[in-house]
Amino acid sequence: MIRPVFVFVVLLCLTIVTAWSAPGDTHIVIETRRTALVIRVDKDQNPTIVHLGQRLDRTDEYARIPGNGKRGEDYTGIYNSVYTPAGGRNLLEPAIQVTHADGNPSLDLRYVRHERKSAEEGTVLTAVYLKDPQYPFEVTLYYKAYQNEDVIEQWSTIRHTEKKNVTLYKYASANLYIPAENYYLTHFHGDWANEMNPTEELLSEGIKMLDTKLGTRADLFQPPSFMVALNQPAEEDKGEVMAGTLAWSGNYQIAFEVDPLHNLRLTAGINPYASAYSLTPGKEFTTPAFLFTYSNSGKGTASRNLHRWARKFRIPQGQGNRLTLLNNWEATYFDFNEEKLTALFKDGKKLGVDLFLLDDGWFGNKYPRNDDRAGLGDWQENIKKLPHGLGHLVKEAEGAGIKFGIWLEPEMVSPKSELYEKHPDWVLKLPNRQEYYFRNQLVLDLTNPKVQEFVYGIVDDVVTKNPTLSYIKWDCNAVIYNAFSATNPNPSHLYVDYVQGLYKVMERLRTKYPTLPMMLCSGGGGRVDYGALRYFTEFWPSDNTDGLERVFIQWNYSYFFPAIATCNHVTDWGKQPIKFRTDVAMMGKVGYDIVVSKLDEKELEFSQQALKTYEQIKTVVWQGDLFRLSSPYTSDIASLMYVSESRDRAVWFSYLTKNRYKAGSTAPIRLKGLDPAKNYSVRELNVYPGTKSAINTETTVYSGNYLMTIGFNPNVDTRRTSVVLELAESK
Ligand code: GLA
């Protein structure tokens, strides 16, 4: 017998479903292995987002998703638009705002069609074509779904064939819609030598904006990377988290709007600030890409997804090798000559690194670069310091048995320089305003093709003249003040054209020198984003190399960027012993910036051995999966491990980050990511000469199951402030 209550429930369900998903609706499903983004197109061709999260087993069931997560009246029908157009019925934060050639300030975007495009292996590229019914104005939304990595890359192209130019006031890369009970945003802030401080906050109704207007080293105060945890605050291994980042090295704006229905609307893209863009008919504007990954098993999975994606698809030689190096910046600053450098080459060799990196101060003659107040832009060897030129140094280094690399800051200029005297119009400045300097320098006008040619030439010349030059550190120490170009006909294109000009130069360089290792530096981490990391093999996270500080800085970068791209140098900053500083540096790409000859016997022996050990474990750190075990924000210990893909090896780092009485690892720490069925031997690495490791005295073999259920105590305490353990499968 069918009960009346049952009939009522069925009817009610049907009513709700049909209210939101009409039979004629089209569903565009963008899926990765575990994630889905679903766009619904209704009978009026309105494209809206109905799902962003875990994928369903049955694709046909996406059509059943009720109600766009709506919990009340949507006065516009497009709160959840795939790309919210401004000026018509929209009432919330738009993704795009334009004024048409005839002065009409409104836009309507309706679905035209969508298609799967062929793309590189392991990816599916979906293009969704939208058009204004009243104007020949089109937007195409691209979604590239990286199947195994669970990453979606989204960007848009904008084009029109109106009679005159159309002004784009806002042109976001992505517009997403996520319904949940609560939204916990983790974003990062900082300054020079103080990068990547996290803040987690509960979003409330209204808009929270992450944004920068600095132009060049755009991330100095705030990087374009964030996480949003849904419902609960983000946890390492639990809960729904979306990690996102904008691949753009200039001004950006990421808006998190909790709308009147308590759903989260996200718009991410180039900052509209001072950037109205006049688009000529027939020309296409391509926005930068917004990258995101969704995880329903916490921040750990989200970051591992991004790491895998970055290594495989984004960072040059992301699955290749990196060079260890000795940098002379903190050893000499500007005070060096050929003799001193030649001695340092030998030191580098003695230490056991692959390369010597000559930093700032090697150039400028009329205005020698003897401090940071002159010479930038005059890229000729200073004849007093280097009378025999760079070629001689390269040979000397190679003679000493190591490779040679060099520091450049091609985008900037000192007011005291021949370059500025010769080309005052190549500099960004306002003719009737006082010049403002950031680290005593100005920014070159990379929107000017002649300047692009000059900047390209700096690198091309130095590599052409020294074909075995093996490394470039590309620095960027000034922000844009007085944002104005003497030659750009569109003043409000400046910020966008600058970044595009930079990318043009980098593209040319990468085409000519596809394998040259290049470090992305910006007075520390002022420019760490996946736009630039398309061209750079690695980045400099911070000038702050204090071992303890670095634990935190690297911890936070690691949510978005893989160890292989993270340059960590052992320097004299901070109070931690050299072992601590070395252990910390090993969680990435190791370098040194110390006076090797000042190391005592044990320090030198330790460092030499550490570099040999690094050779053995680097592949696990660079290519392995990162698992965070104990957070320095909530315990005495920072503990994290890298596990090889086949789970036969792992390297586990633990640090004491608090110094209260009895601080330390009082209990076993549970490991993660191992194979429960495998057996692992545990061995301590980087044991300081003259000390003994209690762990290494017995042959300790444990099952993965034991290590992940009960754990293991690395015995970190005030006498053992950093401990590195290697786990190797024992057959
Ligand atoms: C910046 C970099 C440093 C160093 C100096 C040289 O501050 O971050 O590593 O290269 O410039 O001037």
Side-chain angles (χ1 to χ4, degrees), residues 329 334 359-360 369 407 439 473 475 477 521 523-524 540 543:
W329 175 238
F334 295 95
D359 214 283
D360 196 356
R369 181 79 170 162
W407 178 96
R439 206 192 181 206
K473 174 177 177 183
D475 213 338
N477 279 297
C521 174
W540 184 232
D543 277 353

Side-chain angles (χ1 to χ4, degrees), residues 83-149:
Y83 201 67
T84 314
R89 67 196 144 140
N90 171 53
L91 298 171
L92 304 177
E93 184 64 22
I96 181 165
Q97 185 190 358
V98 312
T99 295
H100 293 282
D102 65 1
N104 185 313
S106 72
L107 186 66
D108 192 3
L109 288 173
R110 302 290 168 126
Y111 169 84
V112 180
R113 68 192 166 90
H114 72 280
E115 65 184 357
R116 287 275 148 81
K117 295 197 157 220
S118 61
E120 60 213 296
E121 219 190 310
T123 72
V124 177
L125 178 61
T126 307
V128 181
Y129 298 90
L130 312 176
K131 191 185 164 304
D132 189 319
Q134 301 298 330
Y135 288 91
F137 186 101
E138 299 158 7
V139 172
T140 307
L141 305 176
Y142 290 93
Y143 302 86
K144 194 172 193 182
Y146 296 84
Q147 298 302 296
N148 288 332
E149 296 73 22

Side-chain angles (χ1 to χ4, degrees), residues 487-513:
T487 55
N488 196 324
N490 287 299
S492 62
H493 288 199
L494 178 94
Y495 286 122
V496 174
D497 288 355
Y498 185 94
V499 181
Q500 287 181 342
L502 172 68
Y503 290 169
K504 235 191 235 171
V505 171
M506 298 314 304
E507 194 70 48
R508 263 180 91 189
L509 287 171
R510 267 295 165 224
T511 308
K512 187 155 179 196
Y513 306 106

